[in-house]
Amino acid sequence: MYISISDRKGGRQDQPTTGPAAVRPAFRLSPVIIWLGLVSMMTDISSESVAAVLPLYITGYLGLTTIAFGVIDGINQGASAIVRIGAGWVSDRTGHPKYVAVAGYGLSMLARIGFLAAGGFWAIAGIVTGDRIGKGIRTAPRDALISAEAQPEYLARSFGVHRMLDNIGAAAGPLIAFLVLTLIPNGFSTVFGVSLAFAVIGVAVLLLVVPDRISPARRERSTSRRAFRWSQFRWSRLTEPGLGRLMFTAGLLGALTIGDGFIYLLLRDRESFGIQWFPLLFVGTNAAFLMFAVPVGRMADRWGRIPVFLAGHVSLLACCLLAGLPFTGTVATAGCLLLLGLFYAATDGVLAALVSQLARPENLGTALGTAQTVVAVSRMAAASGFGVLWYATGPGTAVAIVSGLLAAAVAVAATLLRRTALVAAP
């Protein structure tokens, strides 16, 4: 069963992008993608309600330095890298991506309990590590399920629909945190309790509603005695044309990606608003992501995924410059949040769609896990390095240095991906 979505062109289908007689089929959205989006929505309400208060909780309530926050934010970005490739590989080998995803969502749910008792750097670091390992386990098999259900012609748009639902939760979580802090000053423990409740709901929906799609080829492999031998993993399986350059470019750009928390701390230092308003910065970014996710995914499918991916990083560059410059007021802050949301809309699902297009079907989970690992490790390094740079040079100088490097990296990436763009043409 599929849900058909009209493009409002008087019943006409999308026009062909290649060949004079080529006609694309109508866009149909599988209910499985909707259910996975709802699972992600509940989980993001859980995770983003915590993420929205964590920068202030660490630097304000606990009184730790920006270096400490940089380390924890780096863990938040990169701890999932420990397991991403392995989780994708297990998903491919067993043919049961749903149950690999359940393990990841379940671990993140258990980590929420720890926030209720955590009160120091090492405790928070350990809990964040467990939560992010859970994210690393679940992401590749979940994206493999989406890719299996999506039409090849509309991969980016299907991922965009999922990310749209995901970001309804990502916007709702900080809004809930804002309401809690408004009603209960310094009510961080209440935020952590609400987070746990939504995590439980997400796991329940995944277990009870989402089917476990198993292809015949995967089912045959899962019954083989050799299915679990790690020696079967070969990097040579990830050498499809353009895939290596895409991985390298994603890592290069990820290493110069300033974490959201730092951008929000920059905005708070400049605007000097109360702590109860801080979670609304997360709401603004995720609302922008929600608004842009499907249109940008559609644009990527129609006009090219690599140009959209690179344009997303140009949007991040503009966001960093706007956050670092001495422009105050609501318009400057709103512009910063819109640009940051556009960055995520143009990179998150689009990168997954590119990997899905370039990788062989039997190695899809492994390829997705590898791409996510590259991004996670590079962003972990970026967060830790930027925290030290902020502490050593001040926020303005740190943003200027990273912005200059990011501008150069985007130019290098455009050159590296020129041939890949031909391989990945929609």
Side-chain angles (χ1 to χ4, degrees):
M1 177 181 177
Y2 285 85
I3 300 173
S4 179
I5 297 181
S6 171
D7 287 330
R8 297 187 179 183
K9 298 182 182 178
R12 290 181 297 162
Q13 296 179 349
D14 287 342
Q15 296 301 312
T17 58
T18 58
V23 177
R24 287 190 173 192
F27 176 49
R28 298 178 302 165
L29 186 64
S30 168
V32 174
I33 297 176
I34 298 293
W35 284 118
L36 287 169
L38 293 174
V39 171
S40 293
M41 183 193 302
M42 295 296 106
T43 303
D44 260 33
I45 292 174
S46 173
S47 62
E48 294 300 320
S49 61
V50 173
V53 301
L54 205 56
L56 283 182
Y57 182 67
I58 293 170
T59 61
Y61 189 78
L62 297 180
L64 301 178
T65 67
T66 55
I67 294 179
F69 173 66
V71 171
I72 291 175
D73 191 47
I75 293 171
N76 190 37
Q77 297 284 351
S80 60
I82 299 171
V83 294
R84 283 180 186 261
I85 298 176
W89 185 86
V90 171
S91 172
D92 287 335
R93 299 279 76 76
T94 63
H96 292 283
K98 170 183 172 176
Y99 297 111
V100 179
V102 166
Y105 280 105
L107 179 58
S108 293
M109 178 189 70
L110 294 176
R112 297 283 180 266
I113 301 173
F115 279 113
L116 296 172
F121 171 79
W122 292 109
I124 294 175
I127 293 165
V128 170
T129 300
D131 176 44
R132 295 298 89 181
I133 287 176
K135 179 178 176 62
I137 292 172
R138 70 181 182 247
T139 305
R142 181 204 65 199
D143 284 354
L145 284 169
I146 295 171
S147 182
E149 292 293 323
Q151 296 165 282
E153 301 87 353
Y154 299 106
L155 269 172
R157 198 187 306 188
S158 296
F159 276 105
V161 170
H162 172 267
R163 294 329 192 237
M164 178 188 70
L165 292 170
D166 180 276
N167 276 275
I168 292 175
L175 185 59
I176 290 171
F178 163 72
L179 294 173
V180 170
L181 292 180
T182 300
L183 296 172
I184 309 172
N186 293 324
F188 296 106
S189 61
T190 303
V191 173
F192 299 149
V194 172
S195 168
L196 174 61
F198 278 100
V200 171
I201 295 172
V203 172
V205 172
L206 178 60
L207 275 171
L208 299 176
V209 181
V210 175
D212 188 28
R213 303 292 190 186
I214 310 174
S215 68
R218 286 185 176 184
R219 184 181 296 112
E220 182 178 350
R221 282 198 303 270
S222 69
T223 59
S224 172
R225 291 183 178 180
R226 297 184 300 167
F228 289 95
R229 288 184 184 176
W230 288 93
S231 60
Q232 286 188 345
F233 179 83
R234 296 289 186 274
W235 287 109
S236 60
R237 296 182 179 180
L238 301 178
T239 57
E240 288 81 358
L243 191 57
R245 285 192 298 274
L246 178 64
M247 300 281 188
F248 177 81
T249 304
L252 174 64
L253 295 172
L256 295 167
T257 299
I258 299 175
D260 299 1
F262 281 115
I263 291 175
Y264 301 150
L265 288 174
L266 280 167
L267 294 176
R268 183 173 183 266
D269 287 346
R270 190 175 70 186
E271 306 294 342
S272 301
F273 46 77
I275 65 170
Q276 73 272 20
W277 299 100
F278 191 80
L280 292 186
L281 298 176
F282 291 80
V283 175
T285 297
N286 289 309
F289 191 170
L290 172 64
M291 178 175 63
F292 290 127
V294 173
V296 169
R298 179 177 179 179
M299 185 184 302
D301 285 332
R302 184 177 291 256
W303 302 114
R305 291 158 190 163
I306 286 176
V308 170
F309 180 70
L310 294 174
H313 287 87
V314 174
S315 177
L316 174 64
L317 174 61
C319 173
C320 293
L321 292 173
L322 189 56
L325 292 173
F327 297 134
T328 59
T330 304
V331 174
T333 299
C336 209
L337 301 181
L338 280 172
L339 288 167
L340 190 58
L342 181 59
F343 159 68
Y344 285 114
T347 56
D348 187 9
V350 174
L351 178 60
L354 276 168
V355 173
S356 297
Q357 186 176 357
L358 293 171
R360 290 197 294 265
E362 64 270 21
N363 297 322
L364 178 58
T366 306
L368 286 166
T370 303
Q372 292 155 7
T373 296
V374 168
V375 172
V377 170
S378 60
R379 289 186 180 178
M380 177 175 64
S384 301
F386 189 75
V388 174
L389 193 61
W390 177 315
Y391 187 81
T393 67
T397 303
V399 170
I401 292 172
V402 173
S403 296
L405 293 172
L406 179 58
V410 170
V412 171
T415 301
L416 288 174
L417 294 180
R418 189 172 300 163
R419 283 192 299 167
T420 303
L422 298 176
V423 178

Short mmCIF file of all heavy atoms in Angstrom, two decimals, residues 225-249:
data_model
loop_
_atom_site.label_atom_id
_atom_site.label_comp_id
_atom_site.label_asym_id
_atom_site.label_seq_id
_atom_site.Cartn_x
_atom_site.Cartn_y
_atom_site.Cartn_z
N ARG A 225 25.56 -20.01 7.39
CA ARG A 225 26.41 -20.06 8.58
C ARG A 225 27.49 -18.99 8.55
O ARG A 225 28.03 -18.62 9.59
CB ARG A 225 27.08 -21.43 8.67
CG ARG A 225 26.11 -22.55 8.99
CD ARG A 225 26.87 -23.87 9.14
NE ARG A 225 25.97 -24.94 9.49
CZ ARG A 225 26.38 -26.19 9.69
NH1 ARG A 225 27.67 -26.50 9.56
NH2 ARG A 225 25.50 -27.14 10.01
N ARG A 226 27.81 -18.52 7.36
CA ARG A 226 28.87 -17.53 7.26
C ARG A 226 28.35 -16.10 7.38
O ARG A 226 29.13 -15.16 7.29
CB ARG A 226 29.58 -17.67 5.90
CG ARG A 226 30.26 -19.00 5.72
CD ARG A 226 31.02 -19.02 4.41
NE ARG A 226 30.11 -18.80 3.28
CZ ARG A 226 30.52 -18.52 2.06
NH1 ARG A 226 31.80 -18.40 1.80
NH2 ARG A 226 29.63 -18.35 1.09
N ALA A 227 27.05 -15.94 7.65
CA ALA A 227 26.46 -14.60 7.63
C ALA A 227 27.05 -13.70 8.69
O ALA A 227 27.06 -12.49 8.53
CB ALA A 227 24.95 -14.70 7.82
N PHE A 228 27.53 -14.23 9.80
CA PHE A 228 28.00 -13.41 10.89
C PHE A 228 29.51 -13.35 10.99
O PHE A 228 30.06 -12.86 11.96
CB PHE A 228 27.41 -13.90 12.21
CG PHE A 228 25.95 -13.65 12.33
CD1 PHE A 228 25.04 -14.64 11.97
CD2 PHE A 228 25.47 -12.42 12.77
CE1 PHE A 228 23.69 -14.40 12.08
CE2 PHE A 228 24.11 -12.21 12.87
CZ PHE A 228 23.23 -13.19 12.52
N ARG A 229 30.21 -13.86 9.99
CA ARG A 229 31.66 -13.79 10.02
C ARG A 229 32.12 -12.39 9.62
O ARG A 229 31.90 -11.95 8.49
CB ARG A 229 32.26 -14.83 9.05
CG ARG A 229 32.10 -16.26 9.56
CD ARG A 229 32.80 -17.22 8.59
NE ARG A 229 32.59 -18.60 8.99
CZ ARG A 229 33.02 -19.63 8.29
NH1 ARG A 229 33.68 -19.43 7.16
NH2 ARG A 229 32.79 -20.85 8.70
N TRP A 230 32.77 -11.70 10.53
CA TRP A 230 33.20 -10.34 10.25
C TRP A 230 34.22 -10.30 9.13
O TRP A 230 34.42 -9.26 8.50
CB TRP A 230 33.79 -9.71 11.50
CG TRP A 230 32.74 -9.40 12.50
CD1 TRP A 230 32.31 -10.18 13.53
CD2 TRP A 230 31.94 -8.22 12.56
NE1 TRP A 230 31.30 -9.57 14.22
CE2 TRP A 230 31.06 -8.36 13.64
CE3 TRP A 230 31.89 -7.06 11.78
CZ2 TRP A 230 30.15 -7.38 13.98
CZ3 TRP A 230 30.97 -6.08 12.13
CH2 TRP A 230 30.11 -6.25 13.20
N SER A 231 34.88 -11.43 8.83
CA SER A 231 35.85 -11.43 7.75
C SER A 231 35.20 -11.19 6.40
O SER A 231 35.89 -10.88 5.43
CB SER A 231 36.60 -12.77 7.71
OG SER A 231 35.69 -13.84 7.51
N GLN A 232 33.87 -11.31 6.32
CA GLN A 232 33.20 -11.05 5.06
C GLN A 232 33.19 -9.58 4.71
O GLN A 232 32.97 -9.21 3.57
CB GLN A 232 31.76 -11.55 5.11
CG GLN A 232 31.65 -13.06 5.04
CD GLN A 232 30.21 -13.48 4.89
OE1 GLN A 232 29.29 -12.71 5.10
NE2 GLN A 232 30.00 -14.72 4.53
N PHE A 233 33.41 -8.69 5.70
CA PHE A 233 33.42 -7.26 5.40
C PHE A 233 34.66 -6.91 4.59
O PHE A 233 35.77 -7.29 4.94
CB PHE A 233 33.39 -6.45 6.69
CG PHE A 233 33.43 -4.96 6.45
CD1 PHE A 233 32.27 -4.29 6.16
CD2 PHE A 233 34.62 -4.27 6.48
CE1 PHE A 233 32.29 -2.92 5.92
CE2 PHE A 233 34.66 -2.92 6.24
CZ PHE A 233 33.49 -2.24 5.96
N ARG A 234 34.47 -6.21 3.49
CA ARG A 234 35.59 -5.77 2.65
C ARG A 234 35.36 -4.32 2.25
O ARG A 234 34.30 -3.95 1.77
CB ARG A 234 35.66 -6.63 1.36
CG ARG A 234 35.96 -8.09 1.61
CD ARG A 234 37.41 -8.32 2.05
NE ARG A 234 37.72 -9.74 2.14
CZ ARG A 234 37.49 -10.48 3.20
NH1 ARG A 234 36.97 -9.93 4.29
NH2 ARG A 234 37.80 -11.76 3.21
N TRP A 235 36.41 -3.49 2.47
CA TRP A 235 36.31 -2.10 2.05
C TRP A 235 36.13 -2.01 0.53
O TRP A 235 35.58 -1.04 0.02
CB TRP A 235 37.55 -1.33 2.47
CG TRP A 235 37.59 -1.06 3.94
CD1 TRP A 235 38.42 -1.62 4.86
CD2 TRP A 235 36.76 -0.16 4.68
NE1 TRP A 235 38.16 -1.14 6.12
CE2 TRP A 235 37.14 -0.24 6.03
CE3 TRP A 235 35.73 0.71 4.31
CZ2 TRP A 235 36.54 0.52 7.02
CZ3 TRP A 235 35.12 1.47 5.30
CH2 TRP A 235 35.52 1.36 6.64
N SER A 236 36.60 -3.03 -0.19
CA SER A 236 36.47 -3.00 -1.65
C SER A 236 35.01 -2.98 -2.10
O SER A 236 34.72 -2.61 -3.23
CB SER A 236 37.18 -4.22 -2.26
OG SER A 236 36.61 -5.42 -1.78
N ARG A 237 34.11 -3.37 -1.21
CA ARG A 237 32.70 -3.34 -1.56
C ARG A 237 32.15 -1.92 -1.58
O ARG A 237 31.01 -1.70 -2.00
CB ARG A 237 31.89 -4.18 -0.56
CG ARG A 237 32.26 -5.67 -0.60
CD ARG A 237 31.42 -6.47 0.37
NE ARG A 237 31.76 -7.87 0.31
CZ ARG A 237 31.17 -8.81 1.05
NH1 ARG A 237 30.21 -8.49 1.89
NH2 ARG A 237 31.53 -10.07 0.94
N LEU A 238 32.94 -0.97 -1.09
CA LEU A 238 32.49 0.42 -1.05
C LEU A 238 33.27 1.27 -2.04
O LEU A 238 33.50 2.45 -1.81
CB LEU A 238 32.64 0.97 0.37
CG LEU A 238 31.87 0.22 1.47
CD1 LEU A 238 32.14 0.83 2.83
CD2 LEU A 238 30.37 0.22 1.18
N THR A 239 33.70 0.68 -3.14
CA THR A 239 34.50 1.41 -4.12
C THR A 239 33.72 1.70 -5.40
O THR A 239 34.31 1.88 -6.45
CB THR A 239 35.77 0.61 -4.48
OG1 THR A 239 35.40 -0.69 -4.97
CG2 THR A 239 36.68 0.46 -3.28
N GLU A 240 32.41 1.79 -5.30
CA GLU A 240 31.62 2.14 -6.47
C GLU A 240 32.03 3.53 -6.96
O GLU A 240 32.45 4.38 -6.17
CB GLU A 240 30.11 2.13 -6.13
CG GLU A 240 29.53 0.76 -5.93
CD GLU A 240 29.78 0.19 -4.55
OE1 GLU A 240 30.46 0.88 -3.77
OE2 GLU A 240 29.33 -0.93 -4.27
N PRO A 241 31.90 3.80 -8.26
CA PRO A 241 32.33 5.09 -8.81
C PRO A 241 31.71 6.27 -8.08
O PRO A 241 30.50 6.35 -7.93
CB PRO A 241 31.84 5.02 -10.27
CG PRO A 241 31.80 3.57 -10.58
CD PRO A 241 31.39 2.89 -9.30
N GLY A 242 32.55 7.17 -7.59
CA GLY A 242 32.09 8.38 -6.93
C GLY A 242 31.87 8.26 -5.45
O GLY A 242 31.84 9.28 -4.75
N LEU A 243 31.71 7.05 -4.91
CA LEU A 243 31.37 6.90 -3.50
C LEU A 243 32.53 7.33 -2.60
O LEU A 243 32.31 7.99 -1.58
CB LEU A 243 30.97 5.46 -3.21
CG LEU A 243 30.34 5.19 -1.84
CD1 LEU A 243 29.11 6.05 -1.62
CD2 LEU A 243 29.97 3.71 -1.72
N GLY A 244 33.76 6.97 -2.97
CA GLY A 244 34.90 7.35 -2.15
C GLY A 244 35.09 8.85 -2.09
O GLY A 244 35.36 9.42 -1.02
N ARG A 245 34.94 9.53 -3.23
CA ARG A 245 35.08 10.99 -3.25
C ARG A 245 33.98 11.64 -2.43
O ARG A 245 34.21 12.65 -1.75
CB ARG A 245 35.03 11.50 -4.69
CG ARG A 245 36.31 11.24 -5.48
CD ARG A 245 36.31 12.03 -6.78
NE ARG A 245 35.21 11.63 -7.65
CZ ARG A 245 35.27 10.61 -8.49
NH1 ARG A 245 36.36 9.86 -8.57
NH2 ARG A 245 34.24 10.31 -9.26
N LEU A 246 32.77 11.06 -2.47
CA LEU A 246 31.67 11.60 -1.68
C LEU A 246 31.97 11.48 -0.18
O LEU A 246 31.74 12.42 0.59
CB LEU A 246 30.37 10.87 -2.02
CG LEU A 246 29.14 11.30 -1.22
CD1 LEU A 246 28.78 12.75 -1.52
CD2 LEU A 246 27.95 10.38 -1.55
N MET A 247 32.49 10.31 0.24
CA MET A 247 32.83 10.10 1.65
C MET A 247 33.91 11.10 2.10
O MET A 247 33.81 11.71 3.17
CB MET A 247 33.34 8.67 1.86
CG MET A 247 32.36 7.58 1.50
SD MET A 247 31.12 7.31 2.76
CE MET A 247 30.33 5.82 2.13
N PHE A 248 34.94 11.26 1.29
CA PHE A 248 36.03 12.17 1.65
C PHE A 248 35.52 13.61 1.77
O PHE A 248 35.86 14.34 2.72
CB PHE A 248 37.15 12.11 0.61
CG PHE A 248 38.27 13.07 0.86
CD1 PHE A 248 39.27 12.78 1.78
CD2 PHE A 248 38.32 14.29 0.19
CE1 PHE A 248 40.29 13.69 2.03
CE2 PHE A 248 39.34 15.20 0.43
CZ PHE A 248 40.33 14.89 1.35
N THR A 249 34.69 14.02 0.81
CA THR A 249 34.17 15.38 0.83
C THR A 249 33.26 15.62 2.03
O THR A 249 33.33 16.67 2.68
CB THR A 249 33.39 15.66 -0.47
OG1 THR A 249 34.24 15.42 -1.59
CG2 THR A 249 32.90 17.09 -0.50
#
